[in-house]
Amino acid sequence: MSDVIYLVNEIFYSLQGEGRHTGRAAVFIRFSGCNLNCPFCDTDFKAYRPMTAADIVNAISQWRDCGFVVLTGGEPSLLADDALVEALHLAGFYVAVETNGTHPLPVSVDWVTWSPKDLFAEHVPPLALKKIDEIKVVFDGNHHPECYSAISSDAYLCLQPCDTGDDERNRLITSQCVAYILQHPHWHLSLQTHKLINIR
């Protein structure tokens, strides 16, 4: 197994709260660091502990029965590599990644969720993904997400209302998001259900 060091912010077991796999039990491996600075980011991913692939597999072995791991961040494409994905596969896990799409991912990743951020950032590098299974766009009511729907004809399309931290603003954005999906029914509503039921 590789002795590459991965900067891991946290590892925890919960339900996937967003997107196509909502409600599915999952092991989350959150990496430290990101190449973007999105204004709505709600993750403190600066702290980390150095771990090898063997350390990570050992840490998640107690949840092997769930068989589903999500690599997230931060930006997981900055650290996740073929050796780690292979180690997770050998341990019996289906590997999903949520990425901003600015760096390539290992080709053996099972499920790729692209969460584009170019609507919210001053400069984002070109899309670097060869495979996209799901496109999950943060909907803020000010930007038009339709430009993403043609990027991958097979991708599952999600709109997720932006959590601004303001309840009144959030209600308005959610209402606008629902209205948008009713007018553009190829999109699906993604809610942060983990926040709604107060779990991680």
Side-chain angles (χ1 to χ4, degrees):
M1 205 173 280
S2 172
D3 58 359
V4 171
I5 298 297
Y6 306 93
L7 308 184
V8 178
N9 176 269
E10 63 175 338
I11 295 174
F12 62 97
Y13 182 52
S14 187
L15 300 182
Q16 172 60 280
E18 307 171 358
R20 181 68 179 87
H21 293 286
T22 294
R24 184 173 180 180
V27 180
F28 292 86
I29 301 172
R30 184 182 305 283
F31 292 105
S32 179
C34 187
N35 59 322
L36 301 181
N37 186 25
C38 301
F40 53 82
C41 184
D42 58 2
T43 303
D44 180 8
F45 50 76
K46 295 179 182 66
Y48 64 86
R49 68 180 155 134
M51 300 179 76
T52 64
D55 293 333
I56 292 170
V57 168
N58 184 59
I60 68 174
S61 61
Q62 60 187 309
W63 303 304
R64 193 181 306 268
D65 288 347
C66 119
F68 183 56
V69 65
V70 179
L71 306 182
T72 184
E75 176 46 49
S77 67
L78 300 177
L79 293 168
D81 60 10
D82 290 302
L84 177 60
V85 175
E86 180 182 6
L88 294 169
H89 281 157
L90 288 172
F93 287 92
Y94 180 96
V95 180
V97 175
E98 179 167 339
T99 177
N100 63 32
T102 59
H103 291 271
L105 287 169
V107 295
S108 55
V109 167
D110 299 298
W111 184 269
V112 176
T113 298
W114 174 42
S115 185
K117 301 298 191 288
D118 52 321
L119 291 176
F120 305 96
E122 291 181 10
H123 172 71
V124 176
L127 183 64
L129 300 177
K130 294 184 178 179
K131 168 188 174 180
I132 302 171
D133 298 295
E134 174 180 14
I135 300 173
K136 187 180 71 178
V137 178
V138 176
F139 183 91
D140 69 348
N142 298 319
H143 299 91
H144 200 285
E146 207 53 41
C147 58
Y148 300 112
S149 64
I151 290 176
S152 175
S153 60
D154 297 327
Y156 184 85
L157 302 176
C158 296
L159 289 185
Q160 183 165 292
C162 184
D163 182 358
T164 66
D166 180 288
D167 289 344
E168 184 174 344
R169 177 71 180 140
N170 286 355
R171 282 191 291 272
L172 175 60
I173 289 173
T174 299
S175 175
Q176 291 173 326
C177 187
V178 168
Y180 188 92
I181 293 170
L182 290 172
Q183 294 175 352
H184 305 84
H186 47 283
W187 290 94
H188 303 81
L189 180 65
S190 172
L191 298 175
Q192 293 181 296
T193 58
H194 54 294
K195 292 183 179 181
L196 296 175
I197 61 176
N198 197 29
I199 62 171
R200 293 187 76 184

